Amino acid sequence: MSELAAFHFIRPWCLVFVPIAIGVWWFYRRASDPFHQWQKVISPDLLDAVMVNQDPTRQWRSIALLMFWCLAAIAVAGPTWRPEPSPFADDPVPVMLLLKSGESMNESDLSPSRMERARLKVVDFANARKGQPLGLIAYAGSAHLVLPPTRDTGVVATMASEISPEIMPTPGDRLGSALQLAAKTLGEDGGSIVVVTDTIPTGENSQYESFVSQNRASIEILGIAREGTPESDDLSKAASALRADVTLMTADSADVERIVRRVADTPIAVSVDGEGTRWAEMGWWLVPAIAVGMLTVFRREEQQQEQTT
């Protein structure tokens, strides 16, 4: 869904060649039709009777040729849906962990408590991303930056162990505020946001959709909940608005490892001063189909000319 929303053309002005190709094709067909002028003075039924040696497949080859012309124009326009990956191979994607510290996290349905399970998952993240940028935000009724992305992931785990609902100044569940703070911390180059939470309010879906449309950071949700519970259902509904993937917690670190792998595949947008984001050129995917199709059409046309001679 996020890729579909980011779809656009790098050179949209090149799409003007599509109607030009259609116009040239139409005029060429009229000019190359020897019976076009006779259509004005001869009945269509009589004209069909006097037409001989007409190739019924020639019209379809002409339409196929037009289609390949249009595909070529689209390829030149530069369709794209993903930012160009960072040219620095050793530059990992920065990740912001959003740790919910609301009152519901004190529930003990998950032994010893949801909060303790969430803190242990932060430790797993710190271990899985040693030496890679990892930041931490604690949120409840308000959001607070604990640490910006740092390569010292051990200190992230240490700070997370001190977070609890009791130290939060305002009770509640304001994920929207935490997302805005995370995007501001990550900056223009973006990164990934991992929300570690038991629930997400579904009444703020419009706010989540607005955030996604205005920010390029990818979002992952680690649900501190069991599958099939009302909490997991709410996480799935909110994830749809956030265009995020939901991973429910497991007894081992498999859940964290799965998210870490997805985060590693997230490209960082490359920005150049005065040029904005550079997008990966994807039009070349159409080139093989265009080349094979054009060769096939011209080969058939050549064979047809040989037969007529």
Side-chain angles (χ1 to χ4, degrees), residues 64-85:
L65 183 60
L66 171 63
M67 181 184 69
F68 292 127
W69 283 351
C70 293
L71 284 178
I74 293 174
V76 173
T80 185
W81 54 86
R82 64 178 58 175
E84 192 169 282

Side-chain angles (χ1 to χ4, degrees), residues 47-60:
L47 186 60
D48 290 338
V50 300
M51 292 171 61
V52 295
N53 295 329
Q54 292 298 308
D55 183 3
T57 64
R58 186 164 185 171
Q59 180 179 2
W60 294 109

Side-chain angles (χ1 to χ4, degrees), residues 18 58 67 133 165 169 206 231 246 278 307:
V18 173
R58 186 164 185 171
M67 181 184 69
S206 60
E231 290 84 357
V246 179
R278 294 178 59 185
Q307 292 175 0

